[in-house]
Amino acid sequence: MAESVSERQANLELWPIGNCQVSGLIDDAGGLVWGCVPRVDGDPVFCSLLNGAQQQAGVWRFELEGQVSATQRYERNTPILITRLEAEDGSAVEISDFCPRFERSGRMYRPVAFIRIVRPVAGTPRLKVTLRPMKNYGAQLADTTNGTNHIRYLIGPQAMRLSTDAPIGYLLENRSFRVEADMHFFLGPDEPFVGNVRSELRRMEAQTAKYWTHWVRGLHIPFEWQEEVIRCAITLKLCQHEETGAIVAALTTSIPEAPNSERNWDYRYCWIRDSYYTVQALNRLGALDVLEKYLAYLRNIIDAAQGGQIQPLYSVMGEGELNETTAAHLAGYRGMGPVRVGNAAYKQVQHDCYGQIVLPTVQSFLDSRLLRVADDHDFEGLEQVGEMAWKMHDQPDAGLWEFRTRQEVHTYSAVMCWAACDRLATTAHYLGKEDREEFWRERATAIAGKIEKEAWVENGEEGGHYGASFESDYLDASLLQMVELRFLSPDNPRFKSTFAAIEKVLRRGEHMLRYASEDDFGLPETAFNVCTFWLIEALHLAGRDEEACELFRTMLSHSTKSGLLSEDLDFETGELWGNFPQTYSLVGVINCAGLLSKPWSEIR
């Protein structure tokens, strides 16, 4: 490598590890550059990803003397990362990175812990270990105390302890040393490590690999693009906080949507909308465990709302107040601050959330595979959500793009409110509740009529199109979801003319904008990846499969080496921007692969 690893500019070539309690992002040189404790929305003790030029603070890095290359891969069908570092003299080490996850004593073992195993594989490598966690969002390096085989990092009220068979003195003094045997590192709870570090960590590695390979074996995947789908599915599962079932939108905060745009947001929370799309995609793959845990989270949200307004997002613990502040001590990704903590969107009114609660919950009444089948009491609770959908379907909101300075009656929100009433009617039918079926069907029909009347924009010879809101005629990519939600059929003339208008106005070659009008920060500068996947789905529905497949392959070519995507993409340079990994984008990969793949029936 021409430059020192520590001097390199941060980028999104990142490899997630995790265990559904904590997660970490490993950069393309093998450094742990992002990781929060004790959970995804906690203090980022590893924060060099957002630490501007200060890349040697808030990081856990292994670096060879004379290092010239780093190559990476995941162990097959797991989130266990293997990084091979090579030096100019031919010496090399391999690093295994993972967070332990497996069943033990009748429950899932998923501690707040990061495990790293270093194995010499060629020559006589000399290695320097830099382990410098920070506290209070980059305010200062954690103080340390140590014993003969451990180092305690005082990151807050609960310290973290590194237990290792590597030489502690070299670590504390940041000195290079010769690696002549495998070394094992367990950074976890502040308690004495029980057992032999070497044998215990190797056992944890094997059991974690077994857990994930068995989880993947249960997925129903398309014939084509299997590796891409499996990687996205594993990563989506890593975005679930298992304790409550919440699913976060991304593992990071404040990666800018575009360079120096200040469109920097904290995505380490559970958006009702994003989670709906996530469980929908994983459900198509048969990952019912994620759905079941998320439905439990939703039941708690519904209980807390007591029939009233539901927020667009909550913390993974269900906390509604997510006050937005900035982390003054972190310079930001490539120095592009601010780094935001919390998200003021929790104060917004977004009426689409009612549909996004009802839609995934319907399955809990009708799917015999589930461990807990919903009952009449659950239906009554869900009807309260439907009541809010009916009440709010024609009221202004901030919309799914979360405009901070304006409110309109957004068509997407109205369609989601229609979907809530429509699916309640369907559920009532299957439950034999004829009066409730008729009740919700009437409401769905009324909302549909209102949308057709208020959202349609006549446009002379071009045939017109649906507008993004009842008050305006501008276009918005979310209108493509009207077919997915079954509000329209693909051959509906109004959908066809709306799709044609969206392509004309929002498509930028191989990519799609959310909208082309100015928002709170000016005109959009990057494409929103999930919108491009919506475009691919629409092309498929229009019978343009060859074009859809070509565009899908192009999108996959923009993935990181880890096979993942962030939220946004510069449609001129192809560089990824926005928080990472972004659940919306990974959902797009899974859904489009399922639509476009050859069926297994052609192969078997």
Coordinates of all heavy atoms in Angstrom, one line a residue, residues 147-184:
G147 N -4.6 -6.2 33.4 CA -3.9 -7.2 34.2 C -3.0 -7.9 33.3 O -2.5 -7.4 32.2
T148 N -2.6 -9.2 33.6 CA -1.6 -9.9 32.8 C -2.2 -10.3 31.4 O -1.5 -10.4 30.5 CB -1.1 -11.1 33.5 OG1 -2.0 -11.5 34.5 CG2 0.2 -11.0 34.0
N149 N -3.5 -10.6 31.4 CA -4.1 -11.2 30.2 C -5.3 -10.4 29.7 O -6.1 -10.9 28.9 CB -4.4 -12.6 30.3 CG -3.2 -13.5 30.5 OD1 -2.3 -13.5 29.7 ND2 -3.1 -14.1 31.7
H150 N -5.5 -9.2 30.3 CA -6.7 -8.5 29.9 C -6.4 -7.0 30.0 O -5.5 -6.5 30.7 CB -7.9 -8.9 30.7 CG -7.9 -8.3 32.1 ND1 -7.4 -8.9 33.2 CD2 -8.3 -7.1 32.6 CE1 -7.5 -8.2 34.3 NE2 -8.1 -7.0 33.9
I151 N -7.2 -6.2 29.2 CA -7.2 -4.8 29.3 C -8.7 -4.3 29.5 O -9.5 -4.8 28.8 CB -6.6 -4.1 28.1 CG1 -5.2 -4.6 27.7 CG2 -6.6 -2.6 28.2 CD1 -4.7 -4.1 26.4
R152 N -8.9 -3.5 30.4 CA -10.3 -2.9 30.6 C -10.3 -1.5 30.0 O -9.4 -0.7 30.2 CB -10.6 -2.8 32.1 CG -10.7 -4.1 32.8 CD -10.9 -4.0 34.3 NE -12.2 -3.4 34.6 CZ -12.4 -2.3 35.2 NH1 -11.4 -1.5 35.6 NH2 -13.7 -1.8 35.5
Y153 N -11.3 -1.3 29.2 CA -11.6 0.0 28.6 C -12.8 0.7 29.2 O -13.9 0.2 29.1 CB -11.8 -0.1 27.1 CG -10.6 -0.7 26.3 CD1 -10.4 -2.1 26.2 CD2 -9.6 0.2 25.8 CE1 -9.2 -2.6 25.6 CE2 -8.4 -0.3 25.2 CZ -8.3 -1.7 25.1 OH -7.1 -2.2 24.5
L154 N -12.5 1.8 29.9 CA -13.5 2.5 30.7 C -14.4 3.4 29.8 O -14.2 4.6 29.7 CB -12.9 3.3 31.8 CG -11.8 2.5 32.6 CD1 -11.3 3.3 33.8 CD2 -12.5 1.2 33.2
I155 N -15.3 2.8 29.0 CA -16.0 3.5 28.0 C -17.3 4.2 28.6 O -17.9 5.0 27.9 CB -16.4 2.6 26.8 CG1 -17.2 1.4 27.4 CG2 -15.2 2.1 26.1 CD1 -17.9 0.6 26.4
G156 N -17.6 3.9 29.8 CA -18.8 4.5 30.4 C -19.1 3.7 31.7 O -18.2 3.1 32.3
P157 N -20.3 3.8 32.1 CA -20.7 3.1 33.4 C -20.4 1.6 33.4 O -20.0 1.1 34.4 CB -22.2 3.3 33.5 CG -22.5 4.6 32.7 CD -21.5 4.6 31.6
Q158 N -20.5 1.0 32.2 CA -20.1 -0.4 32.0 C -18.9 -0.5 31.2 O -18.9 -0.2 30.0 CB -21.2 -1.2 31.4 CG -22.4 -1.4 32.4 CD -23.4 -2.4 31.8 OE1 -23.9 -2.2 30.7 NE2 -23.7 -3.4 32.6
A159 N -17.7 -0.9 31.7 CA -16.5 -1.0 31.0 C -16.6 -2.2 30.0 O -17.4 -3.1 30.2 CB -15.3 -1.1 31.9
M160 N -15.7 -2.2 29.0 CA -15.5 -3.4 28.2 C -14.1 -4.0 28.5 O -13.2 -3.3 28.8 CB -15.6 -3.1 26.7 CG -17.0 -2.7 26.3 SD -17.2 -2.6 24.5 CE -17.5 -4.4 24.1
R161 N -14.0 -5.3 28.5 CA -12.8 -6.0 28.8 C -12.3 -6.8 27.6 O -13.0 -7.6 27.0 CB -13.0 -7.0 30.0 CG -11.8 -7.8 30.4 CD -12.1 -8.8 31.4 NE -12.5 -8.2 32.7 CZ -11.9 -8.4 33.9 NH1 -10.8 -9.3 33.9 NH2 -12.3 -7.9 35.0
L162 N -11.0 -6.6 27.3 CA -10.4 -7.4 26.3 C -9.6 -8.6 26.9 O -8.7 -8.3 27.7 CB -9.3 -6.6 25.5 CG -8.5 -7.4 24.4 CD1 -9.4 -7.8 23.2 CD2 -7.3 -6.6 24.0
S163 N -10.0 -9.8 26.6 CA -9.3 -11.0 27.1 C -8.6 -11.6 25.9 O -9.2 -11.7 24.8 CB -10.3 -12.0 27.7 OG -11.1 -11.4 28.7
T164 N -7.3 -11.9 26.1 CA -6.5 -12.3 24.9 C -5.3 -13.2 25.4 O -4.9 -13.1 26.5 CB -6.0 -11.1 24.2 OG1 -5.3 -11.5 23.0 CG2 -5.2 -10.2 25.0
D165 N -4.8 -13.9 24.4 CA -3.6 -14.6 24.6 C -2.4 -13.9 23.9 O -1.3 -14.5 23.8 CB -3.7 -16.1 24.2 CG -4.3 -16.3 22.8 OD1 -4.4 -15.3 22.0 OD2 -4.6 -17.5 22.4
A166 N -2.7 -12.7 23.3 CA -1.6 -11.9 22.7 C -0.9 -11.2 23.8 O -1.4 -11.0 24.9 CB -2.3 -11.0 21.7
P167 N 0.3 -10.7 23.5 CA 1.1 -10.0 24.5 C 0.5 -8.6 24.8 O 0.5 -7.7 24.0 CB 2.5 -9.8 23.8 CG 2.5 -10.8 22.7 CD 1.1 -10.9 22.3
I168 N 0.0 -8.5 26.1 CA -0.7 -7.3 26.5 C 0.2 -6.0 26.4 O -0.2 -4.9 25.9 CB -1.2 -7.4 27.9 CG1 -2.3 -8.4 28.0 CG2 -1.6 -6.1 28.5 CD1 -3.6 -7.9 27.4
G169 N 1.5 -6.1 26.7 CA 2.4 -5.0 26.7 C 2.5 -4.4 25.3 O 2.5 -3.1 25.1
Y170 N 2.6 -5.2 24.3 CA 2.7 -4.7 22.9 C 1.5 -4.0 22.5 O 1.5 -2.9 21.8 CB 3.0 -5.9 21.9 CG 4.3 -6.5 22.0 CD1 4.5 -7.9 21.9 CD2 5.5 -5.7 22.2 CE1 5.7 -8.5 21.9 CE2 6.7 -6.3 22.3 CZ 6.8 -7.7 22.1 OH 8.1 -8.3 22.2
L171 N 0.3 -4.5 23.0 CA -0.9 -3.8 22.6 C -1.0 -2.4 23.3 O -1.4 -1.4 22.7 CB -2.1 -4.6 23.1 CG -2.7 -5.7 22.1 CD1 -1.7 -6.7 21.7 CD2 -3.9 -6.3 22.6
L172 N -0.7 -2.4 24.6 CA -0.7 -1.1 25.3 C 0.2 -0.1 24.8 O -0.1 1.1 24.8 CB -0.5 -1.4 26.8 CG -1.5 -2.1 27.6 CD1 -1.0 -2.5 28.9 CD2 -2.8 -1.3 27.7
E173 N 1.4 -0.5 24.3 CA 2.4 0.4 23.8 C 2.3 0.6 22.3 O 3.1 1.3 21.7 CB 3.8 0.0 24.2 CG 3.9 0.0 25.7 CD 5.4 -0.3 26.1 OE1 6.3 -0.2 25.3 OE2 5.6 -0.5 27.3
N174 N 1.3 -0.1 21.6 CA 1.1 0.1 20.2 C 2.4 -0.3 19.4 O 2.7 0.4 18.4 CB 0.7 1.5 19.9 CG -0.1 1.6 18.6 OD1 0.0 2.6 17.9 ND2 -0.9 0.6 18.2
R175 N 3.1 -1.4 19.8 CA 4.3 -1.8 19.2 C 4.1 -3.0 18.2 O 3.2 -3.8 18.5 CB 5.3 -2.3 20.3 CG 5.9 -1.2 21.1 CD 6.9 -1.7 22.1 NE 7.4 -0.7 23.0 CZ 8.4 0.1 22.7 NH1 9.1 -0.1 21.5 NH2 8.9 1.0 23.6
S176 N 4.9 -3.0 17.2 CA 4.8 -4.1 16.3 C 5.6 -5.3 16.9 O 6.5 -5.2 17.7 CB 5.5 -3.8 15.0 OG 4.8 -2.8 14.3
F177 N 5.1 -6.5 16.6 CA 5.7 -7.7 17.2 C 5.5 -8.9 16.2 O 4.6 -8.8 15.3 CB 5.2 -8.1 18.5 CG 3.7 -8.3 18.6 CD1 3.2 -9.6 18.5 CD2 2.8 -7.3 18.7 CE1 1.8 -9.9 18.5 CE2 1.4 -7.5 18.7 CZ 0.9 -8.8 18.6
R178 N 6.3 -9.9 16.3 CA 6.3 -11.0 15.4 C 5.1 -11.9 15.8 O 4.9 -12.2 17.0 CB 7.6 -11.8 15.5 CG 7.6 -13.0 14.5 CD 8.8 -13.8 14.7 NE 10.0 -13.2 14.1 CZ 10.9 -13.9 13.4 NH1 10.9 -15.2 13.3 NH2 11.9 -13.2 12.9
V179 N 4.3 -12.4 14.8 CA 3.2 -13.3 15.1 C 3.7 -14.7 14.7 O 3.9 -15.0 13.6 CB 2.0 -12.9 14.2 CG1 0.8 -13.8 14.5 CG2 1.6 -11.5 14.4
E180 N 3.8 -15.5 15.8 CA 4.3 -16.9 15.5 C 3.3 -17.9 15.8 O 3.6 -19.1 15.6 CB 5.6 -17.1 16.4 CG 6.7 -16.2 16.0 CD 8.0 -16.4 16.7 OE1 7.9 -16.8 17.9 OE2 9.1 -16.2 16.2
A181 N 2.2 -17.5 16.3 CA 1.1 -18.5 16.6 C -0.3 -17.7 16.5 O -0.3 -16.5 16.5 CB 1.2 -19.1 18.0
D182 N -1.3 -18.5 16.4 CA -2.6 -17.8 16.4 C -2.9 -17.0 17.7 O -2.4 -17.4 18.8 CB -3.7 -18.9 16.3 CG -3.7 -19.7 15.0 OD1 -2.8 -19.4 14.2 OD2 -4.5 -20.6 14.9
M183 N -3.6 -15.9 17.5 CA -3.9 -15.0 18.6 C -5.4 -14.8 18.7 O -6.0 -14.6 17.6 CB -3.2 -13.7 18.5 CG -1.6 -13.8 18.6 SD -0.8 -12.2 18.6 CE -1.4 -11.5 17.0
H184 N -5.9 -14.7 19.9 CA -7.4 -14.7 20.0 C -7.8 -13.5 20.9 O -7.2 -13.2 22.0 CB -7.9 -16.0 20.7 CG -7.5 -17.2 19.9 ND1 -6.2 -17.7 20.0 CD2 -8.2 -18.0 19.0 CE1 -6.1 -18.8 19.2 NE2 -7.3 -19.0 18.6

